[in-house]
């Protein structure tokens, strides 16, 4: 699939939720290659729940996406298998895809699970344990989660109460992770090895806590392509909902390529001073001419960029408001595909 309209493609980058810092490599001595060392991860929440359009995918959209994955030359693999191949340096097929679902809503069991099972596609479900323990309306039960696990789904953690982690002190963050892991071990027979940050919000201290608890990887809600050099505790996923779940956008992101970077500034994504934050990174030499990179910021549109050699400095025009703020950077690649890197900042209220 070729995507020739650069203006449309860049406009679409504004709608996506972005990528990861490059501080803890997944690969061992991996060169900054592209398709053979990368994968696109998709994130869903609700299925066929029209009253929640910002978190919901329509059933007709979901079925069209599954058909695209089935017929479009993609390889859908279990998320743990993708991570292990990156860790060991084994090649991945071009257009490798992983499917993830957050929050364990009841529509996952009623609508997504039968369709995923029929398609034969593996997926990962991230669970916040408190709503399940309370039997909250609209959520799955432990019996249903066990059924998915028995059917091959990977079950990961999303804390106990699904809080805004950057707003908590470190002891409370640890308690959230530990309570969730204990409940999942009790109910599912094993502790989780994968973690998703609630709302995609995290910083260096939170990453450190997750790593200390033995998780193999952790995932945000920012757009981008997972690469062997990506920070394994800040991995990107493309979010899908009714507005941004059309098949053209799905194909655009499913065919995305990584934009490998290093030496990102700032290192910490929680902005407590210097708002707007200074933002820059160094690109891998193999990526080509970095002057072709364009970046877009939440509420600001296309940003000014300055390129010196392989270094890209992004000049943000104004401070971000409190909450989440994103920057997406894309660059045209071969065969009409797009290199994609992004981040999500968190500005405390």
């Amino acid at each position: 699939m070729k995507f020739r309209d650069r203006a449309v493609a860049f406009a679409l980058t504004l709608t996506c939720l972005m990528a990861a810092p490059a501080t803890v490599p997944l690969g061992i001595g991996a060169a900054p290659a592209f398709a053979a060392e990368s994968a696109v991860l998709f994130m869903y929440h609700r299925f066929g729940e029209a009253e929640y359009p910002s978190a919901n995918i329509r059933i007709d959209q979901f079925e069209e996406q599954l058909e695209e994955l089935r017929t479009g030359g993609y390889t859908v693999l279990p998320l743990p298998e993708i991570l292990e191949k990156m860790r060991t340096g084994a090649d991945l097929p071009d257009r490798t895809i992983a499917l993830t679902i957050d929050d364990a809503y009841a529509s996952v069991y009623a609508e997504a699970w039968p369709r995923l099972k029929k398609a034969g596609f593996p997926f990962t479900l991230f669970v916040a344990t408190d709503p399940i323990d309370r039997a909250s309306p609209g959520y799955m039960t432990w019996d249903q989660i066990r059924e998915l696990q028995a059917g091959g789904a990977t079950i990961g953690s999303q804390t106990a109460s699904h809080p805004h982690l950057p707003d908590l002190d470190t002891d409370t963050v640890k308690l959230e992770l530990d309570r969730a892991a204990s409940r999942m071990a009790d109910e599912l027979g094993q502790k989780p090895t994968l973690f998703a940050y609630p709302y995609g919000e995290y910083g260096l201290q939170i990453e450190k806590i997750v790593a200390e608890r033995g998780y193999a990887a952790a995932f945000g809600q920012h757009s981008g392509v997972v690469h062997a050099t990506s920070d394994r505790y800040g991995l990107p996923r493309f979010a899908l909902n009714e507005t941004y779940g059309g098949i053209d956008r799905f194909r655009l992101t499913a065919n995305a390529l990584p934009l490998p970077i290093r030496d990102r500034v700032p290192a910490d994504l929680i902005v407590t001073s210097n708002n707007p934050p200074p933002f820059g990174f160094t690109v891998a030499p193999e990526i080509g001419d970095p002057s072709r990179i364009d970046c877009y910021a939440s509420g600001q549109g296309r940003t000014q960029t300055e390129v010196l050699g392989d270094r890209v400095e992004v000049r943000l025009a104004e401070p971000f408001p409190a909450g989440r703020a994103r920057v997406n950077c894309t660059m045209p690649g071969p065969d009409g595909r797009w290199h994609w890197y992004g981040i999500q900042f968190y500005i405390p209220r």
Side-chain angles (χ1 to χ4, degrees):
M1 177 67 182
K2 293 181 180 295
F3 303 94
R4 301 184 184 278
D5 189 338
R6 183 175 183 182
V8 172
F10 276 134
L12 285 168
T13 68
L14 292 172
T15 69
C16 302
L17 312 173
M18 301 161 285
T23 55
V24 186
L26 282 165
I28 299 175
F34 303 125
E37 298 179 344
S38 67
V40 167
L41 280 50
F42 286 116
M43 177 185 66
Y44 297 91
H45 286 84
R46 299 176 183 268
F47 299 83
E49 298 186 64
E51 61 271 37
Y52 305 102
S54 65
N56 179 59
I57 197 78
R58 298 196 315 266
I59 297 304
D60 65 297
Q61 291 176 317
F62 187 52
E63 290 180 341
E64 191 172 21
Q65 292 164 4
L66 295 180
E67 180 64 11
E68 170 69 14
L69 292 177
R70 190 182 69 82
T71 62
Y74 309 94
T75 301
V76 182
L77 294 178
L79 187 51
E81 180 178 340
I82 291 171
L83 298 173
E84 181 61 15
K85 285 182 180 294
M86 287 185 176
R87 188 189 70 81
T88 61
D91 284 350
L92 287 162
D94 187 17
R95 295 177 174 85
T96 291
I97 304 290
L99 303 177
T100 71
I101 306 172
D102 285 12
D103 297 336
Y105 292 115
S107 61
V108 177
Y109 183 80
E111 301 291 351
W113 170 229
R115 290 171 170 84
L116 289 166
K117 186 164 47 174
K118 180 179 179 180
F121 289 155
F123 66 97
T124 296
L125 177 69
F126 290 104
V127 177
T129 56
D130 283 357
I132 312 301
D133 285 339
R134 291 194 301 264
S136 298
Y139 285 83
M140 295 173 63
T141 67
W142 282 118
D143 282 343
Q144 291 170 339
I145 294 170
R146 279 189 286 269
E147 182 180 335
L148 267 60
Q149 182 185 44
T154 301
I155 311 299
S157 173
Q158 204 174 17
T159 72
S161 70
H162 201 280
H164 295 276
L165 290 176
D167 293 339
L168 305 180
D169 61 69
T170 55
D171 287 342
T172 306
V173 172
K174 294 174 182 178
L175 182 61
E176 278 283 342
L177 270 66
D178 293 345
R179 281 205 302 121
S182 177
R183 288 296 298 127
M184 294 179 74
D186 290 343
E187 295 289 346
L188 304 177
Q190 58 190 38
K191 288 188 175 182
T193 60
L194 301 179
F195 184 81
Y197 300 105
Y199 312 104
E201 299 167 353
Y202 66 95
L204 287 178
Q205 184 60 40
I206 295 170
E207 284 193 69
K208 182 174 182 289
I209 292 170
V210 173
E212 288 172 346
R213 269 139 184 80
Y215 285 93
F219 304 84
Q221 296 187 15
H222 49 286
S223 299
V225 181
V226 174
H227 183 259
T229 60
S230 297
D231 175 7
R232 64 180 177 180
Y233 295 108
L235 296 174
R237 298 180 292 169
F238 287 104
L240 298 169
N241 61 15
E242 289 186 20
T243 303
Y244 304 123
I247 196 61
D248 287 341
R249 179 185 179 274
F250 185 82
R251 289 189 184 118
L252 176 72
T253 51
N255 282 273
L257 293 165
L259 181 57
I261 68 101
R262 58 183 172 84
D263 301 329
R264 191 200 67 213
V265 174
D268 199 338
L269 297 176
I270 300 176
V271 178
T272 56
S273 61
N274 295 326
N275 187 12
F279 176 45
F281 51 83
T282 301
V283 298
E286 294 87 347
I287 200 68
D289 181 5
S291 68
R292 298 190 301 153
I293 295 173
D294 280 325
C295 298
Y296 295 80
S298 298
Q300 301 182 28
R302 185 176 180 179
T303 66
Q304 177 186 353
T305 58
E306 297 182 10
V307 177
L308 181 61
D310 56 3
R311 184 72 185 174
V312 178
E313 297 292 337
V314 180
R315 306 305 182 191
L316 299 169
E318 56 191 52
F320 289 123
R324 295 182 291 278
R326 303 180 176 96
V327 181
N328 276 305
C329 297
T330 57
M331 173 180 169
D335 301 322
R337 299 167 74 178
W338 292 87
H339 297 282
W340 205 308
Y341 173 78
I343 56 173
Q344 176 176 287
F345 293 108
Y346 183 76
I347 298 87
R349 291 170 175 82

